[in-house]
């Protein structure tokens, strides 16, 4: 979504294998690579100096705080339902696929909200929000998106992030 992709600061790579995550962990371990299981939602390992997160779920649904835990459980169900048809577009690299834009939009809300709750939201994530939503806003069902956001009780959060990104980062 970035016009010049290498301008974006890199982070980790998230891989979503869900029910096949354990098989992948076994394969990675058999290659002599240390696989860490510090959080329930994903394992992680370093490959070629890049952190890879092998996800079982999109979000940690076993959080300590009840409101957050319930929110992310609900969001997990919504995202999983949206993916039930298996229609993920290919990236052009073998069988590597990406989330459909409608699913990615809702995931982006949850991802940014989680960083906000953990007090580690940063400029890169706000730039990601700005570039992503500016790029896809005409390609998603905004009525469905806002309905989901309201159902998750995150409308004020989304409005506040949009206002900030509009005022300071060029969000349209």
């Amino acid at each position: 979504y970035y016009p010049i992709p290498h301008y974006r600061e890199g982070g980790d790579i998230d891989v979503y294998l869900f029910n096949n995550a354990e098989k992948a962990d076994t394969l990675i371990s058999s290659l002599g690579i240390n696989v860490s299981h510090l959080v329930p939602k994903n394992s992680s390992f370093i490959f070629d100096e890049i952190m890879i997160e092998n996800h079982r779920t999109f979000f940690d649904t076993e959080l300590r705080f009840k409101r957050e835990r319930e929110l992310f459980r609900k969001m997990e169900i919504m995202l999983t339902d949206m993916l039930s048809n298996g229609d993920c577009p290919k990236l052009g690299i073998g069988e590597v696929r990406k989330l459909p834009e409608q699913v990615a939009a809702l995931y982006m809300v949850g991802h940014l909200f989680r960083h906000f709750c953990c007090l580690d939201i940063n400029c890169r994530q706000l730039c990601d929000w700005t570039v992503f939503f500016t790029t896809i806003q005409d390609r998603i069902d905004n009525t469905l998106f806002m309905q989901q956001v309201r159902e998750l009780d995150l409308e004020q959060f989304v409005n506040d992030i949009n206002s900030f990104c509009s005022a300071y980062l060029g969000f349209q």
Side-chain angles (χ1 to χ4, degrees), residues 6-75:
H6 66 271
Y7 280 9
R8 183 190 184 272
E9 176 188 359
D12 60 15
I13 296 175
D14 295 312
V15 177
Y16 297 90
L17 298 174
F18 304 102
N19 295 333
N20 293 314
E22 293 300 325
K23 290 179 191 175
D25 285 347
T26 301
L27 174 64
I28 296 301
S29 292
S30 75
L31 299 172
I33 297 172
N34 183 41
V35 177
S36 173
H37 294 88
L38 296 177
V39 293
K41 73 176 175 129
N42 65 272
S43 59
S44 60
F45 58 92
I46 296 175
F47 180 77
D48 209 14
E49 298 183 23
I50 299 170
M51 174 67 76
I52 312 287
E53 290 184 350
N54 179 18
H55 285 261
R56 286 149 183 72
T57 59
F58 287 107
F59 298 105
D60 187 349
T61 56
E62 301 302 321
L63 296 167
R64 205 169 116 212
F65 302 105
K66 181 181 179 189
R67 184 174 187 275
E68 238 186 312
R69 182 176 59 245
E70 289 174 358
L71 169 75
F72 288 112
R73 284 180 180 171
K74 190 173 190 176
M75 188 170 279

Side-chain angles (χ1 to χ4, degrees), residues 53-147:
E53 290 184 350
N54 179 18
H55 285 261
R56 286 149 183 72
T57 59
F58 287 107
F59 298 105
D60 187 349
T61 56
E62 301 302 321
L63 296 167
R64 205 169 116 212
F65 302 105
K66 181 181 179 189
R67 184 174 187 275
E68 238 186 312
R69 182 176 59 245
E70 289 174 358
L71 169 75
F72 288 112
R73 284 180 180 171
K74 190 173 190 176
M75 188 170 279
E76 191 76 30
I77 291 167
M78 289 171 112
L79 291 167
T80 303
D81 287 349
M82 292 171 77
L83 286 172
S84 64
N85 66 2
D87 189 26
C88 293
K90 288 187 177 184
L91 277 178
I93 307 167
E95 288 299 313
V96 177
R97 297 174 182 269
K98 66 179 184 172
L99 292 175
E101 290 172 337
Q102 192 76 39
V103 177
L106 187 60
Y107 172 79
M108 181 75 79
V109 171
H111 183 74
L112 195 62
F113 186 72
R114 181 70 183 128
H115 282 286
F116 177 79
C117 291
C118 292
L119 304 177
D120 69 349
I121 194 169
N122 63 46
C123 190
R124 180 188 71 204
Q125 292 152 348
L126 294 170
C127 288
D128 286 350
W129 179 281
T130 299
V131 171
F132 178 77
F133 282 105
T134 298
T135 303
I136 65 131
Q137 64 186 339
D138 296 330
R139 300 195 305 249
I140 65 168
D141 180 339
N142 283 297
T143 302
L144 172 63
F145 174 72
M146 287 310 298
Q147 175 189 338

